[in-house]
Amino acid sequence: MKTLLLTIDAWRATHASFMPDAVGEHTPNLAALAEEGAVFSQAVSHGPATPYAFPSIFTSTLPLDYGGYEQLSDERTLVSEALHEAGWSAAGVHANPWLGEKYGYGRGYDIYRDVGEFGLPGLERGRQFLLDNFSLDSPVYRAAQSLYRTVQEPLRMLGGDAAEIEVARKALDESSDETFVWTHLLEPHAPYTPPKRHREAVGVPETDATPSQLVTRAQHGPEEFTEREREVVRGLYAASVRHADEKAGKLLEAVDDDTLVIVTADHGEALFEHGQVGHEPALYDELTHVPLLVRPPGGAAEGLVETQARHLDIAPTVLDYAGVEPPESYRGRSLRPAVEGEGMSDEVAISEVASSATEPGRLAPEELQVAARTPARKLIHADGEVRGFDLQNDPEEREPIADPKGDDWDDLRAALDDRLAAIEVGETEDIERDEEVQERLRNLGYID
């Protein structure tokens, strides 16, 4: 058996066609895969952005465990390491600067590739022209891509746009059984610059500003946007989701029926909810409620699963299907019983972050936020206060309940209090980021 874990950056649950109450049919390729798999309608990320979310996906531990998320402690066992110890091979490929080997993410892999590059001023229009007029596998696109790589021009989107798929497909095609492949797609992450064909399919209105200019302005001043401008930004995001699905479809062509496939987002994305465009530190559902799809070998017995699943559960699920015992440090549980039609109870999901919007990825004890969630309710501890949300009657979290009490909240309050008591946020390790990483983070909108 082979395993493919596909993670998609900044992908809202509302924009996965296979999820209940989806907004539009933006992911037809993944929806086709979902017909053979189990869809978890209540899946939760443990952090609102890439550096806070991925420790849980890969190590089944919470973001602030083991000294936090600035660098993965050796005490955390990556799923790739557990599989390697059991004799599996592993290949990982991504284009996100937060996931570099220097932060500990490359452990246990035979092949670990960062295909991301950053764009040079003046080259954006040329990149966009290629994306608008040529498919990823056209000779023109490939020739331009090869030229830029040969001379090492740092053109992020062109260099990385097809490379993740190429590396992952090769790993799947050329490997034997007992191979784990992880691929992370940067789309639909800001600045939402999808090819013209996807913008036209969504019906994005034309504007004088380029997509990246408009989205950058939205990230810095969302309250200043007119409703029409908001419509454009939402349309650009939806078109970017379509672009991610197109790339996922090319990858899925290399997947056979005997491969375990797990698809999720690292986190969601705010589109003007709670005064935000993007994913600065906050714990509302637009950032932490994510799509999750599990297609086991031979297909799933269960289609829609309403039991709450967590990113903590992904690594144990991979190891369960691989026949590998999970490390003692793992907090999650295998979702295999639910995939195979057996009932599973809800487990409280903890989401947390201790960083500021101005210094993302850096630990800051005074910025601690922790949420405890079930499908029905959520508690958020932030700024020294606890607010509750009735997710059944207030799913958009617009009506906070100050310090809620009573039988309906007791178990959630106990889970929140237990987590708050266990967290020890240390001072930042101040891990050095080289200038290339800094520039890539600027291009993604993380830093000014």
Side-chain angles (χ1 to χ4, degrees):
M1 183 194 77
K2 302 176 187 178
T3 295
L4 171 65
L5 172 60
L6 173 60
T7 54
I8 298 176
D9 211 306
W11 181 30
R12 291 169 61 108
T14 58
H15 285 61
S17 302
F18 53 82
M19 292 284 282
D21 303 319
V23 177
E25 299 294 327
H26 302 308
T27 59
N29 291 304
L30 292 171
L33 179 69
E35 294 179 0
E36 307 169 10
V39 171
F40 289 83
S41 64
Q42 295 292 332
V44 180
S45 169
H46 301 285
T50 300
Y52 323 126
F54 262 98
S56 301
I57 295 174
F58 281 148
T59 74
S60 192
T61 56
L62 290 170
L64 292 169
D65 287 345
Y66 300 100
Y69 40 69
E70 287 195 15
Q71 186 166 21
L72 290 183
S73 165
D74 291 339
E75 295 179 86
R76 300 190 199 241
T77 302
L78 277 75
V79 64
S80 52
E81 292 180 289
L83 290 169
H84 178 79
E85 287 295 318
W88 281 54
S89 61
V93 56
H94 70 93
N96 191 307
W98 292 116
L99 302 174
E101 288 186 75
K102 67 185 296 182
Y103 301 122
Y105 284 100
R107 302 197 305 258
Y109 287 94
D110 302 279
I111 299 170
Y112 195 80
R113 290 275 303 278
D114 179 353
V115 299
E117 297 166 344
F118 58 88
L120 288 175
L123 295 178
E124 168 69 15
R125 293 188 182 277
R127 180 196 66 80
Q128 193 64 53
F129 175 81
L130 288 168
L131 285 174
D132 287 346
N133 292 279
F134 300 99
S135 65
L136 299 180
D137 54 2
S138 77
V140 174
Y141 184 97
R142 288 184 178 275
Q145 183 183 63
S146 176
L147 174 63
Y148 278 116
R149 287 179 182 168
T150 299
V151 299
Q152 296 182 329
E153 289 285 355
L155 185 59
R156 177 184 61 82
M157 291 296 288
L158 180 59
D161 199 62
E164 314 101 302
I165 304 305
E166 293 169 358
V167 174
R169 284 188 59 143
K170 184 176 181 180
L172 288 169
D173 287 337
E174 298 182 358
S175 65
S176 58
D177 286 345
E178 298 188 340
T179 297
F180 171 75
V181 176
W182 163 63
T183 311
H184 183 66
L185 299 183
L186 198 54
E187 292 83 11
H189 196 290
Y192 314 159
T193 54
K196 184 178 181 180
R197 60 185 177 277
H198 294 308
R199 300 198 305 271
E200 291 178 342
V202 172
V204 181
E206 294 293 332
T207 63
D208 293 334
T210 67
S212 59
Q213 289 171 336
L214 189 67
V215 173
T216 298
R217 188 161 63 86
Q219 290 176 313
H220 288 87
E223 70 283 348
E224 300 171 1
F225 268 50
T226 66
E227 187 53 44
R228 184 179 184 280
E229 289 176 319
R230 294 180 179 220
E231 179 185 352
V232 174
V233 171
R234 294 187 185 109
L236 290 170
Y237 176 81
S240 298
V241 171
R242 290 180 62 90
H243 189 200
D245 181 76
E246 178 184 70
K247 294 174 70 173
K250 293 183 179 296
L251 176 58
L252 293 174
E253 292 173 0
V255 173
D256 60 33
D257 291 339
D258 295 325
T259 297
L260 168 67
V261 183
I262 299 177
V263 183
T264 191
D266 55 351
H267 55 82
E269 185 83 337
L271 295 175
F272 299 99
E273 297 94 346
H274 299 101
Q276 182 182 167
V277 171
H279 43 272
E280 294 179 358
L283 297 175
Y284 298 110
D285 260 18
E286 62 265 19
L287 300 180
T288 61
H289 181 207
V290 293
L292 176 60
L293 162 63
V294 180
R295 200 294 305 268
E302 193 69 28
L304 181 64
V305 180
E306 296 181 346
T307 300
Q308 180 163 275
R310 306 159 299 170
H311 274 168
L312 288 174
D313 303 324
I314 290 176
T317 303
V318 170
L319 295 184
D320 188 355
Y321 277 99
V324 177
E325 284 293 318
E328 291 184 2
S329 59
Y330 278 24
R331 289 176 172 267
R333 56 181 180 168
S334 173
L335 298 172
R336 186 172 183 173
V339 173
E340 297 180 353
E342 299 179 21
M344 295 182 70
S345 60
D346 288 318
E347 293 285 342
V348 172
I350 298 292
S351 299
E352 58 193 29
V353 62
S355 294
S356 68
T358 55
E359 292 191 283
R362 301 293 196 199
L363 289 172
E366 68 279 5
E367 300 289 344
L368 177 65
Q369 301 179 58
V370 180
R373 183 192 189 275
T374 67
R377 292 175 181 82
K378 180 192 286 188
L379 289 174
I380 298 178
H381 176 276
D383 300 321
E385 300 178 348
V386 175
R387 292 166 294 150
F389 295 94
D390 181 343
L391 298 180
Q392 291 181 324
N393 296 313
D394 179 27
E396 296 181 353
E397 296 164 285
R398 293 183 176 181
E399 301 174 5
I401 304 168
D403 197 25
K405 291 182 171 60
D407 293 343
D408 291 340
W409 298 95
D410 286 348
D411 290 346
L412 211 54
R413 177 65 71 117
L416 178 63
D417 289 344
D418 287 347
R419 183 55 187 161
L420 288 170
I423 292 174
E424 296 181 6
V425 182
E427 294 299 325
T428 178
E429 295 184 30
D430 199 24
I431 296 171
E432 183 180 354
R433 299 172 186 158
D434 58 39
E435 185 53 39
E436 178 179 340
V437 170
Q438 290 288 95
E439 184 65 19
R440 289 168 64 189
L441 292 174
R442 289 188 192 98
N443 289 338
L444 292 173
Y446 282 104
I447 57 178
D448 294 327

